Amino acid sequence: MTTLTGVFDGGRYFEGPRWHSGRLWFVDCMARTLLSLSHSGECERHARFEDDTPCGLGVLPDGRVIVLTMFRKRLMSYADGRLSLYADLSGMARVRSTT
């Protein structure tokens, strides 16, 4: 029998887990935050998205974390403790109707 143990309790809806620089990075979509966990399970909140919902992330070749926003369709980079616009995709990304 396998026993499961949690490493982080709290949060609402996590997406985009990526291992980077010795930490597990992810977003909490509902709390609109960029988070990371250390090996020991210590959670660090890096940024809060005041005007949109983060919905996934990746890491650029130069080591910056990049986060996609759901409604404004932007890629935001995180470096040196702050978010900045990396690319505005709103002119290209379209919502497709299912009807």
Side-chain angles (χ1 to χ4, degrees):
M1 183 194 279
T2 302
T3 302
L4 299 176
T5 58
V7 294
F8 178 65
D9 189 19
R12 299 175 61 193
Y13 188 89
F14 303 128
E15 280 193 354
R18 299 288 183 268
W19 189 257
H20 173 61
S21 296
R23 298 183 71 86
L24 180 65
W25 291 76
F26 55 98
V27 295
D28 185 333
C29 300
M30 301 303 288
R32 294 182 169 188
T33 55
L34 172 64
L35 307 161
S36 71
L37 289 176
S38 68
H39 282 281
S40 63
E42 174 193 336
C43 184
E44 185 174 342
R45 182 174 134 176
H46 299 279
R48 174 148 171 76
F49 294 77
E50 300 295 335
D51 63 349
D52 207 344
T53 301
C55 58
L57 65 85
V59 179
L60 294 170
D62 66 6
R64 288 180 291 166
V65 173
I66 192 115
V67 182
L68 174 65
T69 65
M70 187 178 295
F71 300 109
R72 298 180 102 193
K73 300 173 184 78
R74 297 179 301 178
L75 289 174
M76 304 296 293
S77 67
Y78 177 79
D80 301 322
R82 63 189 251 290
L83 290 169
S84 59
L85 181 65
Y86 182 75
D88 183 346
L89 305 176
S90 62
M92 294 178 258
R94 303 275 185 229
V95 176
R96 197 170 11 157
S97 174
T98 58
T99 58

